Amino acid sequence: MTERQLAELLKGMSLEEKALQLTQYPAYLSTCVVTGGDTAGDLSLSELRRMGSILNANDGAEIMELRRDKREHGISDPLLVMHDVIHGYRTIAPVPLALACSFNLQLVQDCAEMAATEAKYDGVDVTFSPMADLVRDARWGRVMESAGEDPYLCGEVGKAFIRGYHTGGLACCVKHFAAYGAAESGKEYNTAELSEHTLHEYYLRGYAECLKENPELVMTAFCVLNGVPVTGNRRLTVDILRDEWGFDGVLISDYASVREMICHGYCPDEKLAAYAAIKAKLDIEMSSPCYARYLPVLVKEGKISEDEIDDAVMRVLKLKNRLGLYENPERETNLKKRDEVTLCGRYRALARRAAEESCVLLKNDGVLPLKESASVVFVGPFAAEKEIFGNWGCRGNAEDTVSVKEGVDALLKKSVKTAPGCSHKLKETDESMISEAVQAAAKSEVIVACVGESMWNSGEAHSRTDIRIPKVQRKLINELSKLQKPLVLVVFGGRPQVLTEIEEHADAVLYVWQPGTEGGNAIAGLLYGKVNPSGKTAMSFPRASGQCPVYYNSLNTGRPNTQEANIYSSGYDDLPNTPLYPFGFGLSYTKFEYSDLRLSDEEFGCGGNLMATVRVKNAGAADGQEVVQWYIRDLYASCVRPVKELKGFEKITLKAGEEKIVSFEITEKTLAFRTAEGKERAEAGEFVLYVGGNSRDCLQKKFILNERK
Ligand code: NOJ
């Protein structure tokens, strides 16, 4: 449709129709339209039928029904179908935090494309992904949906997701704008309180970067930021998102977050909640009825102009138009093609590679890789578990998922012995199965204990205060360690858990997150050395829950906690400040040596550049992949800068003995930050460049940025 035709369409709509265009309800309510049941919702059947979009339908068949129903009732407006396609549709890739650990942007993009392809054939138009929330507190359950604690990585991973969705044929939505990940004490739906500096320097960067790939939608967050609920926070949504960043796509609320402004104590009733949201240029209200009920009233009362509604509706119509829904309301829905691609060999292979590259080898005293001839027992509640695909596993299911046992059985071509030892329930107290697992372990040469948190204990509404693995599993590990046999821990989790008291019993620790449909095959390949681990953690692993939030890019303070420091330094009496495993950390079965860090000059002027190079050698006996990480520290600035900031990375493949020169360009832009006056610029002075295979162990070199060219 042309712009003119869209304008005509808008002109022909009543106020009520416009308000319904700006309202989105979950498909389970719309399903009642088809089945003729009671909606039990806030809106009438006829209103639901005329809504512009729905979220999270059951499947393609239901979507087709809903579209048919619209047509049969003479409603020509096409239905826009949105869905939480987060890390896969039916073939499930590892959770986004794990994918970020691959530091392989092409892989992330390919996984997103795979998800989009399966979803679009099943009738989906838009996905509520990527999540670009910066996270620092592993107690928060939703860290699994993020790309971790670094703003640069969040932006790069977010953009890779968007590129993949677009090539796969879905529109997408960056969320949760803004600072949802800054929830105080890691508690779900909690308040965020951030200075302008921290907000801009850290939390907003990921979303802003994502906008460069032109996502069609942005979703507001549930939280209150600096005293104002984000869904009605004009400073954020109008001044920053629309005006400063120029976002002219669709801004959608999170689930009922318009109505929740009443509960927050920001708006006394639904009418004023609708008012606050439309004034914040929020286009679609998800799952609450404030717009449908009150936008027309607000216009009639003269509180808002019809133009304000028209602007919002036009953005929705443009999205439908961009998706081609006016020409073809079914778009690419094609259940036959869906069935052809769903879980096809190519997709399974991709999900497997994604899992292989996402797992992080945290410790290895030489027990890994396992020998195929060794007698190994697989114990622990995740040894044969198939629910390992992640809390946002969309239409993924346990039957399609490969467990560790199945993966190892396939690799060894025999059935390996497993014993759960306990359940994986968070609050499990039953220890009665531990002895059976210990007995089984006593008969084998090597023990692999598959432990961690269930996929139902991370994700939305799954914050935890104590992020150690559950108590009964700690007991199991303790008992196993008494056997004095090589002990490998395979740890599942949607967050970096506190491993302090279990890793000391272990000879190796492989952190596998929630690895998706092909998890078991990937883990088997890694354990037996068919694949060399290459994942690097995108979040620091705390030593204790009380260390949260712990992140590498912190400020130095006036009294940094170094070993020589006196007791009056910034730290704790009982633990060091450092995490157990730092950001960017991950081992391999080979060894990478960094040397010859060089800079093209010792200084450069504004407008110029410096080239840095480093030699990376695979000094071990196995071929492998390494993530070369470039960090910078600005030593003195008008706004103090973090001790290190990731500025670039490259994942390289090196055969045993091979070496490569890896280069990195530094420009003024690389060094820029947001000054106290709100200006994005670099300040002349001294900097340190770091390069290494993690954020802690780096080579370094100083350089200077001069005022003049
Ligand atoms: C609530 C979640 O916060 C959001 O991420 C999700 O997209 C919506 N529900 C829709 O399911």
Side-chain angles (χ1 to χ4, degrees):
M1 268 202 200
T2 61
E3 294 246 338
R4 216 164 116 217
Q5 285 170 311
L6 285 180
E8 285 298 312
L9 199 64
L10 178 67
K11 225 165 121 198
M13 288 173 138
S14 69
L15 252 183
E16 285 67 26
E17 279 168 334
K18 290 175 185 173
L20 286 168
Q21 200 58 229
L22 304 182
T23 304
Q24 174 174 88
Y25 258 66
Y28 72 86
L29 285 179
S30 329
T31 311
C32 304
V33 174
V34 179
T35 57
D38 184 359
T39 70
D42 304 282
L43 300 172
S44 69
L45 287 181
S46 116
E47 285 172 314
L48 289 173
R49 184 169 272 132
R50 288 179 295 137
M51 273 179 328
S53 61
I54 54 159
L55 81 130
N56 293 355
N58 263 324
D59 57 14
E62 181 179 276
I63 291 166
M64 288 166 85
E65 268 301 279
L66 290 168
R67 285 179 170 146
R68 184 192 52 74
D69 176 78
K70 270 201 161 204
R71 280 196 304 276
E72 276 178 7
H73 285 83
I75 304 165
S76 57
D77 171 57
L79 184 65
L80 183 57
V81 178
M82 308 201 189
H83 202 94
D84 286 295
V85 184
I86 309 292
H87 54 107
Y89 189 68
R90 180 76 186 276
T91 312
I92 308 300
V95 294
L97 180 59
L99 282 176
C101 295
S102 75
F103 279 78
N104 183 338
L105 299 176
Q106 186 60 48
L107 185 64
V108 174
Q109 181 176 330
D110 292 346
C111 288
E113 182 181 340
M114 163 178 83
T117 309
E118 286 187 356
K120 80 170 170 201
Y121 288 145
D122 208 23
V124 178
D125 303 311
V126 174
T127 171
F128 294 125
S129 172
M131 170 167 138
D133 302 327
L134 185 90
V135 299
R136 292 174 162 180
D137 195 328
R139 292 172 296 179
W140 192 45
R142 299 194 81 168
V143 301
M144 58 155 280
E145 289 172 61
S146 77
E149 73 196 37
D150 181 75
Y152 174 71
L153 187 61
C154 279
E156 294 305 303
V157 170
K159 286 189 293 185
F161 267 108
I162 297 170
R163 288 193 294 273
Y165 292 137
H166 284 168
T167 18
L170 282 193
C172 64
C173 174
V174 172
K175 66 189 187 184
H176 306 81
F177 184 75
Y180 184 33
E184 218 173 68
S185 46
K187 194 158 54 176
E188 184 61 301
Y189 312 127
N190 205 9
T191 310
E193 195 71 27
L194 297 172
S195 68
E196 275 289 293
H197 167 74
T198 304
L199 176 67
H200 282 274
E201 239 350 78
Y202 302 95
Y203 286 86
L204 291 186
R205 294 222 179 251
Y207 315 109
E209 199 57 31
C210 280
L211 293 194
K212 295 184 182 161
E213 286 291 348
N214 299 314
E216 291 78 359
L217 295 93
V218 169
M219 185 190 292
T220 60
F222 283 124
C223 59
V224 162
L225 175 65
N226 299 339
V228 181
V230 163
T231 302
N233 192 323
R234 279 185 244 177
R235 161 96 187 96
L236 272 181
T237 56
V238 180
D239 298 352
I240 297 176
L241 181 69
R242 299 278 193 205
D243 295 348
E244 198 184 316
W245 295 354
F247 177 68
D248 63 356
V250 172
L251 183 63
I252 186 169
S253 78
D254 202 343
Y255 204 101
S257 69
V258 173
R259 185 160 59 187
E260 285 172 16
M261 287 197 281
I262 302 171
C263 203
H264 279 301
Y266 188 63
C267 305
D269 56 32
E270 290 184 351
K271 186 156 91 177
L272 288 166
Y275 177 82
I278 198 79
K279 283 290 175 193
K281 295 205 176 173
L282 180 104
D283 301 322
I284 299 183
E285 176 184 10
M286 186 199 292
S287 262
S288 47
C290 310
Y291 271 16
R293 281 190 189 142
Y294 293 107
L295 284 184
V297 180
L298 286 164
V299 173
K300 281 172 200 152
E301 288 176 353
K303 301 269 173 22
I304 58 171
S305 72
E306 189 157 354
D307 285 352
E308 287 172 87
I309 297 190
D310 285 356
D311 284 349
V313 175
M314 186 47 100
R315 285 189 281 266
V316 177
L317 301 189
K318 279 186 176 164
L319 171 58
K320 291 186 172 184
N321 196 33
R322 184 167 168 180
L323 284 161
L325 289 173
Y326 292 110
E327 286 70 36
N328 179 10
E330 306 277 343
R331 226 169 57 95
E332 299 200 51
T333 314
N334 186 329
L335 303 192
K336 190 165 167 284
K337 280 196 181 166
R338 174 199 68 185
D339 294 341
E340 276 163 23
V341 296
T342 295
L343 292 161
C344 65
R346 193 161 59 89
Y347 283 178
R348 276 198 175 270
L350 176 60
R352 179 173 180 161
R353 193 158 67 81
E356 289 166 352
E357 293 207 27
S358 301
C359 293
V360 184
L361 183 63
L362 294 174
K363 179 174 180 178
N364 187 15
D365 291 347
V367 59
L368 291 181
L370 299 172
K371 292 194 183 62
E372 289 181 37
S373 56
S375 87
V376 184
V377 66
F378 288 79
V379 299
F382 293 96
E385 180 58 63
K386 288 164 78 76
E387 281 196 343
I388 53 169
F389 51 92
N391 191 332
W392 271 120
C394 205
R395 300 209 197 296
N397 60 48
E399 294 92 82
D400 298 329
T401 305
V402 182
S403 69
V404 174
K405 176 179 165 46
E406 288 167 333
V408 176
D409 284 356
L411 190 145
L412 297 180
K413 299 191 182 59
K414 67 173 188 198
S415 173
V416 293
K417 172 100 186 118
T418 59
C422 57
S423 86
H424 53 55
K425 284 199 213 123
L426 197 57
K427 295 179 186 161
E428 184 58 272
T429 51
D430 183 0
E431 299 179 353
S432 62
M433 290 188 295
I434 291 183
S435 58
E436 187 206 350
V438 174
Q439 276 164 28
K443 292 184 203 131
S444 68
E445 282 169 50
V446 180
I447 310 163
V448 176
C450 302
V451 294
E453 69 178 355
S454 145
M455 68 183 217
W456 305 117
N457 290 126
S458 65
E460 185 177 348
H462 293 292
S463 293
R464 294 174 55 193
T465 58
D466 177 355
I467 54 171
R468 290 177 295 176
I469 69 163
K471 192 171 171 200
V472 61
Q473 296 187 49
R474 300 202 301 272
K475 171 107 192 256
L476 170 68
I477 293 166
N478 203 26
E479 294 304 312
L480 291 169
S481 73
K482 291 180 188 159
L483 296 171
Q484 306 271 335
K485 295 186 178 225
L487 175 62
V488 177
L489 299 181
V490 172
V491 189
F492 289 78
R495 52 162 68 75
Q497 291 158 98
V498 168
L499 306 178
T500 313
E501 62 193 274
I502 57 169
E503 68 92 36
E504 62 189 26
H505 294 305
D507 298 284
V509 180
L510 182 68
Y511 209 84
V512 300
W513 308 104
Q514 305 293 352
T517 307
E518 282 286 316
N521 283 330
I523 293 165
L526 290 163
L527 289 176
Y528 284 92
K530 302 285 177 208
V531 182
N532 197 346
S534 63
K536 304 274 187 172
T537 184
M539 272 190 92
S540 305
F541 275 72
R543 291 176 191 271
S545 305
Q547 253 190 348
C548 293
V550 59
Y551 50 95
Y552 85 97
N553 46 358
S554 59
L555 302 182
N556 202 32
T557 80
R559 297 186 176 195
N561 186 262
T562 57
Q563 267 168 1
E564 318 82 64
N566 66 25
I567 58 161
Y568 295 100
S569 69
S570 171
Y572 304 101
D573 272 1
D574 53 350
L575 278 180
N577 281 356
T578 53
L580 189 61
Y581 303 108
F583 174 83
F585 181 83
L587 301 170
S588 153
Y589 294 148
T590 188
K591 194 172 168 294
F592 296 102
E593 283 174 2
Y594 288 72
S595 63
D596 275 345
L597 170 59
R598 286 176 196 205
L599 278 166
S600 53
D601 207 336
E602 286 170 3
E603 53 192 281
F604 77 111
C606 295
N609 74 341
L610 275 187
M611 281 314 290
T613 52
V614 70
R615 185 185 304 274
V616 185
K617 179 172 182 182
N618 181 344
D623 300 349
Q625 295 191 86
E626 168 70 333
V627 181
V628 179
Q629 302 163 41
W630 298 95
Y631 297 89
I632 282 183
R633 177 170 179 189
D634 183 344
L635 287 179
Y636 308 99
S638 60
C639 241
V640 288
R641 309 297 308 145
V643 292
K644 260 178 205 150
E645 289 178 277
L646 183 70
K647 295 291 182 178
F649 59 84
E650 191 176 334
K651 192 162 190 174
I652 56 169
T653 304
L654 290 177
K655 295 208 169 306
E658 195 188 353
E659 60 181 38
K660 252 185 202 160
I661 302 290
V662 180
S663 58
F664 174 65
E665 186 186 17
I666 304 168
T667 64
E668 214 182 312
K669 201 160 160 251
T670 325
L671 311 177
F673 66 93
R674 194 179 158 104
T675 62
E677 300 79 46
K679 298 255 166 9
E680 187 82 15
R681 64 182 178 88
E683 286 178 353
E686 270 184 293
F687 295 81
V688 186
L689 171 70
Y690 298 88
V691 64
N694 65 66
S695 62
R696 184 189 58 201
D697 310 309
C698 295
L699 299 178
Q700 51 174 286
K701 230 178 180 54
K702 272 196 183 172
F703 66 90
I704 289 170
L705 173 70
N706 292 316
E707 208 68 76
R708 287 166 292 110
K709 254 189 167 236

